[in-house]
Amino acid sequence: MSSGMEIGFERMLNALKAVGEETRLRILALFRSGELTVTELVTILRQSQPRVSRHLRLLCEAGLLERYREGTWIFYRLAEGGAEGALARAIIEYIPFSAQILRHDAERLAEIKEGRKGKARRYFRENAADWDRIRSLYVSEGDVEKILLEVTADMKIDDFLDVGTGTGRILEVFADRIGRGTGIDLSREMLAIARVNLEKSNLHNCQVRQGDMYDLALASGSIDLILIHQVLHFADDPSAALRETSRLLRVNGRVIIVDFAPHTLEYLRDEHAHRRLGFKDEDVIGWLDNVGLASDPVIHLKGQSLDLSIWVANKKQ
Ligand SMILES: C[S@@+](CC[C@H](N)C(=O)[O-])C[C@H]1O[C@@H](n2cnc3c(N)ncnc32)[C@H](O)[C@@H]1O
């Protein structure tokens, strides 16, 4: 294995036995990117929940997948570390994704991902006009903005990108520190408000446009500073979003992610379209490291009902 990790004969045999079955190989193929819940897998595979759960249990016991709970949702993902995780990734590289059955699974997975995006889109379409009020309920904005300016005080920022810019507040905060600023967001309704806000404040060095955090359609190595402020908890594949972020950064460029620390406010899923109930420091640091971004110590801010974390990372040489 490319990881150079020794797996041992018995463990390897176990892992290969677990994956040597049609449905379980299909399941492994579905984990090429991102995390999935049992309900999502049941929809894709069109098998009963008990059957799918049994397959998942076997894949977890063999060390290929791991399971973790967040509130009432249980997620599955490829095992992060260890030889079995490396073996799972190696097997995935050889999976013939052009096989008809896998193409069908991939189509249904794509529908699910579209559906998730649709949920966030609907939420922001309905709440765009009210977002600036909702935003201030979550966090003490002044404290966060002060820290953002402090941790970038050493930088010369020609090109700035705000991913999931919403109503453009972060562009306003940075406008007089940067050469050019771009805000990208999925929601046309949020962007319409951002445009009015930028115009009102006469911020002619900033512009916004529609786009997706997984495919930002900007040149590689073209940005000095990227902000991802309260956006990652909508992502179904945060690590893929961070890979795209890293692609855009210049060497020594910086990314700052502001998001919630792990919490249990389940209603944020139902009422505010959140997918993730916050993030552990080490998960985000791991994703950043995997895409060539070296993290500074994480900054933590206590909130009334929700705590915030600020991850700062720099693109390695
Ligand atoms: C909670 S708001 C935060 C907006 C802004 N960063 C702020 O702090 O006020 C999250 C924003 O992320 C956007 N968003 C969600 N999924 C996205 C995606 N896949 N690509 C780009 N933007 C996305 C939403 O449309 C929304 O405007």
Side-chain angles (χ1 to χ4, degrees):
M1 267 175 291
S2 56
S3 71
M5 255 177 253
E6 179 72 45
I7 186 170
F9 187 77
E10 283 302 321
R11 279 168 59 193
M12 179 160 182
L13 196 57
N14 247 341
L16 291 177
K17 273 187 194 160
V19 86
E21 192 276 340
E22 183 178 319
T23 304
R24 291 198 287 279
L25 190 58
R26 286 168 67 196
I27 292 178
L28 194 70
L30 286 164
F31 282 96
R32 181 154 57 152
S33 71
E35 303 148 335
L36 290 161
T37 64
V38 184
T39 317
E40 291 170 337
L41 284 161
V42 165
T43 311
I44 297 169
L45 298 165
R46 310 216 157 134
Q47 296 186 11
S48 70
Q49 165 134 9
R51 282 188 71 170
V52 173
S53 295
R54 184 174 160 275
H55 287 307
L56 287 167
R57 183 168 50 74
L58 289 171
L59 289 167
C60 287
E61 281 169 6
L64 297 164
L65 294 185
E66 59 191 25
R67 166 189 198 275
Y68 64 98
R69 177 184 282 279
E70 229 188 58
T72 57
W73 287 16
I74 292 172
F75 289 94
Y76 291 84
R77 64 181 175 203
L78 286 183
E80 292 271 310
E84 280 88 347
L87 178 63
R89 285 175 180 79
I91 295 172
I92 287 176
E93 276 193 34
Y94 287 95
I95 287 180
F97 284 98
S98 59
Q100 199 178 24
I101 192 164
L102 299 181
R103 283 212 318 269
H104 285 160
D105 287 350
E107 278 162 21
R108 286 198 285 266
L109 175 61
E111 279 166 24
I112 283 185
K113 290 193 168 182
E114 264 317 296
R116 290 183 197 142
K117 256 187 218 161
K119 198 174 164 197
R121 244 187 227 130
R122 264 193 310 283
Y123 172 79
F124 285 104
R125 184 163 60 226
E126 283 157 17
N127 290 285
D130 215 17
W131 173 249
D132 285 332
R133 185 189 61 79
I134 298 175
R135 186 182 193 278
S136 62
L137 293 179
Y138 284 143
V139 287
S140 160
E141 294 174 48
D143 292 348
V144 175
E145 290 169 4
K146 191 163 157 265
I147 292 173
L148 295 181
L149 292 172
E150 277 167 14
V151 297
T152 51
D154 60 319
M155 293 184 81
K156 176 173 182 305
I157 310 163
D158 292 327
D159 293 285
F160 174 76
L161 175 65
D162 184 27
V163 177
T165 193
T167 53
R169 172 66 198 159
I170 295 293
L171 287 172
E172 291 184 54
V173 171
F174 276 90
D176 62 2
R177 285 274 291 109
I178 60 177
R180 285 167 299 275
T182 305
I184 290 185
D185 202 283
L186 206 54
S187 160
R188 292 187 198 284
E189 288 75 12
M190 294 292 265
L191 290 174
I193 294 174
R195 286 195 182 95
V196 172
N197 288 345
L198 294 179
E199 204 141 297
K200 253 200 251 160
S201 317
N202 273 320
L203 301 182
H204 301 302
N205 61 341
C206 295
Q207 46 149 337
V208 295
R209 63 175 176 75
Q210 204 201 10
D212 191 332
M213 65 175 134
Y214 300 110
D215 180 10
L216 289 161
L218 291 165
S220 301
S222 62
I223 310 285
D224 301 298
L225 176 63
I226 300 183
L227 245 293
I228 309 178
H229 185 267
Q230 297 290 11
V231 181
L232 215 55
H233 57 257
F234 295 100
D236 55 16
D237 193 353
S239 65
L242 296 180
R243 189 174 320 118
E244 176 66 348
T245 303
S246 175
R247 179 184 74 76
L248 296 182
L249 280 178
R250 296 196 166 112
V251 171
N252 293 327
R254 192 167 295 169
V255 56
I256 305 179
I257 300 157
V258 182
D259 220 296
F260 298 119
H263 64 82
T264 53
L265 303 185
E266 192 73 40
Y267 76 92
L268 290 176
R269 280 194 172 126
D270 304 327
E271 294 172 25
H272 296 269
H274 291 201
R275 178 161 171 88
R276 302 293 306 266
L277 301 184
F279 295 101
K280 289 188 195 150
D281 288 1
E282 60 270 26
D283 281 350
V284 178
I285 291 172
W287 294 327
L288 290 166
D289 187 52
N290 283 341
V291 295
L293 297 167
S295 293
D296 290 348
V298 183
I299 299 166
H300 299 111
L301 281 182
K302 272 240 148 298
Q304 281 192 331
S305 52
L306 289 169
D307 297 339
L308 272 193
S309 302
I310 303 179
W311 291 266
V312 180
N314 295 288
K315 176 108 170 191
K316 298 177 201 167
Q317 292 284 346

PDB file of all heavy atoms in Angstrom, residues 275-288:
ATOM      1  N   ARG A 275     -26.295  20.868   7.895  1.00  0.00           N
ATOM      2  CA  ARG A 275     -26.068  19.418   7.758  1.00  0.00           C
ATOM      3  C   ARG A 275     -25.234  18.916   8.927  1.00  0.00           C
ATOM      4  O   ARG A 275     -25.483  17.860   9.459  1.00  0.00           O
ATOM      5  CB  ARG A 275     -25.375  19.109   6.430  1.00  0.00           C
ATOM      6  CG  ARG A 275     -25.071  17.630   6.266  1.00  0.00           C
ATOM      7  CD  ARG A 275     -24.830  17.218   4.859  1.00  0.00           C
ATOM      8  NE  ARG A 275     -24.348  15.850   4.769  1.00  0.00           N
ATOM      9  CZ  ARG A 275     -25.113  14.763   4.683  1.00  0.00           C
ATOM     10  NH1 ARG A 275     -26.425  14.892   4.694  1.00  0.00           N
ATOM     11  NH2 ARG A 275     -24.595  13.568   4.583  1.00  0.00           N
ATOM     12  N   ARG A 276     -24.239  19.690   9.316  1.00  0.00           N
ATOM     13  CA  ARG A 276     -23.334  19.261  10.383  1.00  0.00           C
ATOM     14  C   ARG A 276     -23.569  20.069  11.646  1.00  0.00           C
ATOM     15  O   ARG A 276     -23.770  21.280  11.582  1.00  0.00           O
ATOM     16  CB  ARG A 276     -21.887  19.451   9.918  1.00  0.00           C
ATOM     17  CG  ARG A 276     -21.529  18.704   8.645  1.00  0.00           C
ATOM     18  CD  ARG A 276     -21.559  17.213   8.884  1.00  0.00           C
ATOM     19  NE  ARG A 276     -20.711  16.875  10.017  1.00  0.00           N
ATOM     20  CZ  ARG A 276     -19.433  16.505   9.896  1.00  0.00           C
ATOM     21  NH1 ARG A 276     -18.886  16.381   8.720  1.00  0.00           N
ATOM     22  NH2 ARG A 276     -18.725  16.236  10.967  1.00  0.00           N
ATOM     23  N   LEU A 277     -23.543  19.398  12.795  1.00  0.00           N
ATOM     24  CA  LEU A 277     -23.692  20.093  14.068  1.00  0.00           C
ATOM     25  C   LEU A 277     -22.304  20.483  14.580  1.00  0.00           C
ATOM     26  O   LEU A 277     -21.806  19.948  15.561  1.00  0.00           O
ATOM     27  CB  LEU A 277     -24.424  19.204  15.077  1.00  0.00           C
ATOM     28  CG  LEU A 277     -25.833  18.748  14.672  1.00  0.00           C
ATOM     29  CD1 LEU A 277     -26.490  17.955  15.793  1.00  0.00           C
ATOM     30  CD2 LEU A 277     -26.720  19.929  14.294  1.00  0.00           C
ATOM     31  N   GLY A 278     -21.671  21.397  13.882  1.00  0.00           N
ATOM     32  CA  GLY A 278     -20.343  21.875  14.268  1.00  0.00           C
ATOM     33  C   GLY A 278     -19.251  20.894  13.885  1.00  0.00           C
ATOM     34  O   GLY A 278     -19.522  19.815  13.345  1.00  0.00           O
ATOM     35  N   PHE A 279     -18.004  21.306  14.168  1.00  0.00           N
ATOM     36  CA  PHE A 279     -16.854  20.482  13.757  1.00  0.00           C
ATOM     37  C   PHE A 279     -15.844  20.369  14.890  1.00  0.00           C
ATOM     38  O   PHE A 279     -15.598  21.342  15.604  1.00  0.00           O
ATOM     39  CB  PHE A 279     -16.145  21.130  12.559  1.00  0.00           C
ATOM     40  CG  PHE A 279     -17.000  21.188  11.326  1.00  0.00           C
ATOM     41  CD1 PHE A 279     -17.629  22.369  10.955  1.00  0.00           C
ATOM     42  CD2 PHE A 279     -17.189  20.057  10.548  1.00  0.00           C
ATOM     43  CE1 PHE A 279     -18.415  22.425   9.818  1.00  0.00           C
ATOM     44  CE2 PHE A 279     -17.976  20.106   9.411  1.00  0.00           C
ATOM     45  CZ  PHE A 279     -18.594  21.288   9.044  1.00  0.00           C
ATOM     46  N   LYS A 280     -15.251  19.192  14.987  1.00  0.00           N
ATOM     47  CA  LYS A 280     -14.151  19.013  15.948  1.00  0.00           C
ATOM     48  C   LYS A 280     -12.912  19.663  15.357  1.00  0.00           C
ATOM     49  O   LYS A 280     -12.677  19.564  14.138  1.00  0.00           O
ATOM     50  CB  LYS A 280     -13.848  17.525  16.126  1.00  0.00           C
ATOM     51  CG  LYS A 280     -14.896  16.773  16.873  1.00  0.00           C
ATOM     52  CD  LYS A 280     -14.340  15.363  17.119  1.00  0.00           C
ATOM     53  CE  LYS A 280     -15.461  14.440  17.541  1.00  0.00           C
ATOM     54  NZ  LYS A 280     -15.229  13.070  17.130  1.00  0.00           N
ATOM     55  N   ASP A 281     -12.071  20.236  16.225  1.00  0.00           N
ATOM     56  CA  ASP A 281     -10.820  20.865  15.763  1.00  0.00           C
ATOM     57  C   ASP A 281     -10.043  19.916  14.864  1.00  0.00           C
ATOM     58  O   ASP A 281      -9.604  20.273  13.774  1.00  0.00           O
ATOM     59  CB  ASP A 281      -9.907  21.202  16.956  1.00  0.00           C
ATOM     60  CG  ASP A 281     -10.432  22.364  17.766  1.00  0.00           C
ATOM     61  OD1 ASP A 281     -11.511  22.890  17.407  1.00  0.00           O
ATOM     62  OD2 ASP A 281      -9.768  22.733  18.746  1.00  0.00           O
ATOM     63  N   GLU A 282      -9.891  18.672  15.379  1.00  0.00           N
ATOM     64  CA  GLU A 282      -8.976  17.750  14.692  1.00  0.00           C
ATOM     65  C   GLU A 282      -9.504  17.306  13.332  1.00  0.00           C
ATOM     66  O   GLU A 282      -8.720  17.000  12.430  1.00  0.00           O
ATOM     67  CB  GLU A 282      -8.609  16.545  15.576  1.00  0.00           C
ATOM     68  CG  GLU A 282      -9.769  15.690  16.006  1.00  0.00           C
ATOM     69  CD  GLU A 282     -10.401  16.142  17.331  1.00  0.00           C
ATOM     70  OE1 GLU A 282     -10.304  17.338  17.668  1.00  0.00           O
ATOM     71  OE2 GLU A 282     -11.008  15.280  18.013  1.00  0.00           O
ATOM     72  N   ASP A 283     -10.843  17.272  13.167  1.00  0.00           N
ATOM     73  CA  ASP A 283     -11.380  16.890  11.846  1.00  0.00           C
ATOM     74  C   ASP A 283     -10.986  17.929  10.801  1.00  0.00           C
ATOM     75  O   ASP A 283     -10.497  17.602   9.720  1.00  0.00           O
ATOM     76  CB  ASP A 283     -12.911  16.770  11.893  1.00  0.00           C
ATOM     77  CG  ASP A 283     -13.344  15.447  12.522  1.00  0.00           C
ATOM     78  OD1 ASP A 283     -12.469  14.580  12.728  1.00  0.00           O
ATOM     79  OD2 ASP A 283     -14.544  15.283  12.803  1.00  0.00           O
ATOM     80  N   VAL A 284     -11.200  19.196  11.150  1.00  0.00           N
ATOM     81  CA  VAL A 284     -10.894  20.254  10.178  1.00  0.00           C
ATOM     82  C   VAL A 284      -9.384  20.317   9.923  1.00  0.00           C
ATOM     83  O   VAL A 284      -8.940  20.417   8.778  1.00  0.00           O
ATOM     84  CB  VAL A 284     -11.449  21.625  10.662  1.00  0.00           C
ATOM     85  CG1 VAL A 284     -11.088  22.719   9.676  1.00  0.00           C
ATOM     86  CG2 VAL A 284     -12.958  21.534  10.835  1.00  0.00           C
ATOM     87  N   ILE A 285      -8.599  20.205  11.000  1.00  0.00           N
ATOM     88  CA  ILE A 285      -7.131  20.237  10.833  1.00  0.00           C
ATOM     89  C   ILE A 285      -6.683  19.092   9.918  1.00  0.00           C
ATOM     90  O   ILE A 285      -5.827  19.283   9.048  1.00  0.00           O
ATOM     91  CB  ILE A 285      -6.423  20.146  12.207  1.00  0.00           C
ATOM     92  CG1 ILE A 285      -6.661  21.447  12.985  1.00  0.00           C
ATOM     93  CG2 ILE A 285      -4.922  19.883  12.054  1.00  0.00           C
ATOM     94  CD1 ILE A 285      -6.181  21.423  14.420  1.00  0.00           C
ATOM     95  N   GLY A 286      -7.296  17.910  10.075  1.00  0.00           N
ATOM     96  CA  GLY A 286      -6.956  16.753   9.234  1.00  0.00           C
ATOM     97  C   GLY A 286      -7.287  17.028   7.771  1.00  0.00           C
ATOM     98  O   GLY A 286      -6.478  16.759   6.880  1.00  0.00           O
ATOM     99  N   TRP A 287      -8.483  17.567   7.515  1.00  0.00           N
ATOM    100  CA  TRP A 287      -8.865  17.869   6.119  1.00  0.00           C
ATOM    101  C   TRP A 287      -7.902  18.886   5.514  1.00  0.00           C
ATOM    102  O   TRP A 287      -7.511  18.775   4.353  1.00  0.00           O
ATOM    103  CB  TRP A 287     -10.291  18.423   6.047  1.00  0.00           C
ATOM    104  CG  TRP A 287     -11.355  17.445   6.452  1.00  0.00           C
ATOM    105  CD1 TRP A 287     -11.329  16.097   6.266  1.00  0.00           C
ATOM    106  CD2 TRP A 287     -12.592  17.738   7.110  1.00  0.00           C
ATOM    107  NE1 TRP A 287     -12.480  15.542   6.762  1.00  0.00           N
ATOM    108  CE2 TRP A 287     -13.271  16.508   7.282  1.00  0.00           C
ATOM    109  CE3 TRP A 287     -13.199  18.911   7.577  1.00  0.00           C
ATOM    110  CZ2 TRP A 287     -14.520  16.423   7.890  1.00  0.00           C
ATOM    111  CZ3 TRP A 287     -14.447  18.834   8.166  1.00  0.00           C
ATOM    112  CH2 TRP A 287     -15.098  17.605   8.336  1.00  0.00           C
ATOM    113  N   LEU A 288      -7.543  19.893   6.319  1.00  0.00           N
ATOM    114  CA  LEU A 288      -6.639  20.940   5.809  1.00  0.00           C
ATOM    115  C   LEU A 288      -5.278  20.339   5.485  1.00  0.00           C
ATOM    116  O   LEU A 288      -4.707  20.581   4.419  1.00  0.00           O
ATOM    117  CB  LEU A 288      -6.494  22.059   6.852  1.00  0.00           C
ATOM    118  CG  LEU A 288      -7.739  22.945   7.068  1.00  0.00           C
ATOM    119  CD1 LEU A 288      -7.606  23.768   8.346  1.00  0.00           C
ATOM    120  CD2 LEU A 288      -7.967  23.862   5.865  1.00  0.00           C
TER     121      LEU A 288
END
